[in-house]
Amino acid sequence: MAKTSKTEFIITGALIAAAYAGLTYLSNIFSLAYGPIQLRVSEMLTILPVFTPAAIPGLTVGCFIANIGSFNLLDMIFGTSATLIAALLTYFLRGIKLKGLPLLAALPPVLVNAIVIGAEINWFFLPEGASLWGFIISGCQVGVSQLVVCYILGMPFYLVVKKYKIFERAKKS
């Protein structure tokens, strides 16, 4: 991929942030954006660091904006941090492909969110208080939700982005 200018980087990141926040709010219309079972359509975008490093700040800022809708400061902090970590790991795993698909690169959002958001739910939101079983159950709920979106929506999204070369610059004549 060709190097992008600073302006392109910022615009790309901003568009990704807007898409992530908008798709999360759309998911919230169906009560799927917040809580232990989150089927945020926006999580399919977590594959974008495979294509561009601008997706790292884009996803992070988008997640922060989206998590404002949870009206929960802890979610804004932990959810945003989890997204940043997952985006960085996805970027670093971008070159590993299995049968042409970045299957490992799609895994960090699943694992990081299962651990971080599972812990957040366990420590701060379970009525019976924090416990190992509470963490395991919360982590599994978040992880399975993420797995569904990142792979069932994320892989077809990856193929569309790749096919149409959405993040490649037009060749100059």
Side-chain angles (χ1 to χ4, degrees):
M1 181 167 58
K3 280 195 158 195
T4 59
S5 72
K6 195 180 263 188
T7 303
E8 280 179 291
F9 185 90
I10 291 168
I11 290 169
T12 301
L15 289 171
I16 292 168
Y20 186 97
L23 287 170
T24 300
Y25 290 137
L26 178 65
S27 298
N28 194 41
I29 291 171
F30 304 100
S31 299
L32 297 173
Y34 310 104
I37 298 174
Q38 302 179 7
L39 293 169
R40 291 182 177 189
V41 176
S42 53
E43 287 295 306
M44 74 179 175
L45 302 177
T46 61
I47 198 65
L48 291 178
V50 168
F51 295 103
T52 176
I56 298 167
L59 291 168
T60 304
V61 170
C63 181
F64 179 78
I65 293 167
N67 285 343
I68 290 171
S70 72
F71 302 104
N72 182 332
L73 182 61
L74 293 170
D75 202 29
M76 289 180 228
I77 294 166
F78 288 107
T80 303
S81 299
T83 297
L84 173 60
I85 293 164
L88 287 166
L89 291 171
T90 296
Y91 179 76
F92 289 120
L93 293 171
R94 72 190 181 280
I96 302 170
K97 304 264 185 355
L98 303 168
K99 296 191 178 196
L101 293 173
L103 297 175
L104 288 178
L107 198 53
V110 175
L111 297 177
V112 173
N113 279 293
I115 294 166
V116 174
I117 305 307
E120 175 191 349
I121 291 168
N122 179 53
W123 290 332
F124 301 111
F125 300 109
L126 292 182
E128 65 275 0
S131 70
L132 178 59
W133 282 113
F135 170 68
I136 291 170
I137 292 167
S138 297
C140 286
Q141 287 175 321
V142 172
V144 169
S145 302
Q146 284 288 120
L147 190 69
V148 167
V149 177
C150 290
Y151 284 90
I152 292 178
L153 296 180
M155 287 299 109
F157 178 68
Y158 166 82
L159 292 171
V160 169
V161 171
K162 183 179 176 186
K163 178 180 179 179
Y164 292 103
K165 301 177 181 183
I166 293 171
F167 289 100
E168 291 185 23
R169 294 172 69 177
K171 293 183 181 180
K172 296 182 182 182
S173 7

